[in-house]
Amino acid sequence: MPGCSSKYIQLSGMICYSPEQTPAPGYKELTMSEDNPIILPRDQHRISRRRIDEDSLKVLYRLHRNGFKAYLVGGSVRDLLLDRQPKDFDIGTDATPNQMRKLFRNCFLVGRRFRLAHIRFAGGKVIEVATFRRQPDEDELPDDEDEHFHFVQNVFGTPREDAYRRDFTINALFYDIGDFSVIDHVGGLRDLEEKCLRVIGDPRIRFVEDPVRMLRAIEFAARLDFQLADDILPAIEEHKPLLATAAPARVREEVMALFRYGIAAPVLKQCRELGMLPHLLAGYPGTDESIALLGKIDQRTMVGVPIEESFAIAALFLRLFMDDCPPSQEPHITEALHKANEIIIPHCRYFSIANAIRHQARELLIGCFRLARGTGLRGERRFLQHPLTPTALELFTLWAEVHPELAPKVEQWSQLINKRKSEEHGQPKDAPPQKRRPRRRRRPRRQGQKNSAPEKTP
Ligand code: ATP
Ligand code: MG
């Protein structure tokens, strides 16, 4: 894939490199003059307030009326400029969390480590507002590792510093509610135009700082159909083992984002090709068949079917499980259970996935195993009654699209399941309720009888 290698500084006369500044290491190439971001006035960009969420606008306006800077930040500005509907509207401001608490009655400060203000609106809606932050200097950092993380996340800074701490240039644009302009400190506008995903600063440094950015780079390029800047792949090659050191909760979140955006197949395929998978999802080999199944799941997501985490986990490991439990050899169901556990448990332990989700993922694998064996076997009636069987059939149907020889089984099972459903729902409304067998009354025990229960003490 050809990269986009143009240096923004060379391209734009509006930006000048200021050597007297002392940028953080790795930021030099993109450093612009402190006072000279690119500012696009309202008539030169396509962001219309009509497309901004009403409650977010209220928060922006109130901050602004009270003399604070109030910007739409991050993904929402990027998406609005690309004519896409943003998922959420994050707000950046120079008001501190305490100032925000005074300004908004419905404000709650959240996050033990990373203090954010949540402004709550009717219907449980929450608008997230963060004070501008900056990357602290090395000598400012406390020694204690736990405190270190807390500190790094909470050093307040200027808007420009806030832009520079972000991951990619296209994610660091601001929309100023004060004059409706778009502010670009890092060259994001040009990269949006060039469809180029570029790390802010040197990727070799930024990926070491936070290895999850390697996955995010591939993810955003796939989501937006952008090309990776030339320096990204060599930096991934160098630092991919660090993915294994990233907080599992964050990796889990990003992996689920791949499924929610319907890009699990292309991203995990690229991760496989780049040798990232063993560090990212140990235990997931990402074979062609498995990726093909994820592709089917992505298509299903793209037409609006929501994806559960248990479904995603079962999909990731279905190929591996089927290799271990080929239905043709008819392994016993307990053996299949054992294999499913062997595959799923290490994954769920590592990512601290709740037992209920783990259990469902396992049931889906076992469900697919039963479906693959075909109809007419022992335990079929109970299996048809199992609440997860229709979901297992959904997964199996997608699997059968990868393995067309399974299509007749899908057909047979679908008929059985539909028949059962219509039996369940097809009871005429005025049908008399089924008579229950009268309960047999127990004969009262006589006092002094053997084995009688001891009397309860109050
Ligand atoms: P989405 O549409 O998925 O919400 P987003 O760009 O809003 O995309 P988020 O994960 O919600 O992505 O993060 C919000 C913003 O926070 C990003 O746009 C980026 O500016 C910043 N950010 C997120 N993760 C990182 C990171 N690992 N390093 C630096 N900045 C980050
Ligand atoms: Mg977001």
Side-chain angles (χ1 to χ4, degrees), residues 167-436:
D167 45 7
F168 308 113
T169 57
I170 57 165
N171 282 354
L173 297 165
F174 299 142
Y175 172 78
D176 183 351
I177 203 67
D179 59 4
F180 313 119
S181 63
V182 171
I183 304 171
D184 177 10
H185 290 274
V186 293
L189 284 169
R190 184 55 173 257
D191 287 335
L192 270 187
E193 215 167 279
E194 289 191 348
K195 300 182 109 210
C196 175
L197 191 92
R198 192 189 304 281
V199 172
I200 298 174
D202 184 342
R204 286 167 306 176
I205 294 171
R206 304 301 311 278
F207 290 167
V208 172
E209 246 170 48
D210 178 4
V212 177
R213 289 176 187 148
M214 289 185 259
L215 175 59
R216 283 175 62 88
I218 315 262
E219 178 187 333
F220 278 103
R223 250 171 82 181
L224 306 170
D225 195 20
F226 275 32
Q227 289 188 343
L228 296 170
D230 280 346
D231 51 3
I232 290 186
L233 289 181
I236 289 182
E237 181 54 33
E238 192 176 334
H239 293 300
K240 61 195 176 191
L242 291 179
L243 277 164
T245 65
R250 294 193 50 225
V251 174
R252 175 186 176 190
E253 205 173 292
E254 292 300 337
V255 169
M256 269 321 288
L258 306 181
F259 281 94
R260 285 199 205 97
Y261 285 114
I263 49 164
V267 172
L268 292 180
K269 182 163 183 264
Q270 199 175 356
C271 288
R272 182 189 73 189
E273 282 157 7
L274 297 173
M276 293 161 76
L277 276 187
H279 314 293
L280 187 70
L281 287 172
Y284 174 61
T287 53
D288 285 341
E289 276 182 356
S290 168
I291 298 281
L293 172 63
L294 299 188
K296 302 289 174 194
I297 290 173
D298 286 341
Q299 284 170 10
R300 170 182 177 268
T301 311
M302 293 307 255
V303 295
V305 184
I307 177 126
E308 300 279 338
E309 189 169 16
S310 52
F311 197 85
I313 297 172
L316 281 173
F317 293 109
L318 185 62
R319 167 73 276 171
L320 201 61
F321 172 71
M322 288 298 196
D323 280 346
D324 279 352
C325 294
S328 53
Q329 290 174 18
E330 301 215 354
H332 196 268
I333 197 82
T334 46
E335 198 185 319
L337 266 170
H338 180 68
K339 291 284 179 199
N341 277 335
E342 245 177 32
I343 292 172
I344 298 267
I345 289 178
H347 176 86
C348 292
R349 281 225 177 105
Y350 181 75
F351 289 107
S352 306
I353 291 170
N355 287 346
I357 298 174
R358 186 191 74 204
H359 179 77
Q360 282 192 358
R362 191 193 70 177
E363 290 303 300
L364 290 176
L365 288 183
I366 298 296
C368 286
F369 168 75
R370 282 181 179 275
L371 293 166
R373 285 196 310 181
T375 54
L377 293 171
R378 236 179 99 214
E380 182 170 297
R381 217 165 68 99
R382 270 233 322 268
F383 175 57
L384 285 172
Q385 285 167 350
H386 195 291
L388 277 176
T389 297
T391 319
L393 182 62
E394 269 184 60
L395 181 57
F396 188 68
T397 306
L398 299 171
W399 182 234
E401 286 177 26
V402 180
H403 277 275
E405 73 277 8
L406 295 172
K409 289 189 174 154
V410 170
E411 192 50 42
Q412 285 169 355
W413 282 108
S414 302
Q415 280 175 11
L416 277 179
I417 288 178
N418 287 338
K419 192 165 149 234
R420 203 193 111 72
K421 270 192 202 151
S422 55
E423 276 169 10
E424 251 177 25
H425 300 298
Q427 299 263 3
K429 280 219 173 90
D430 45 3
Q434 276 189 349
K435 273 194 183 159
R436 292 178 69 183

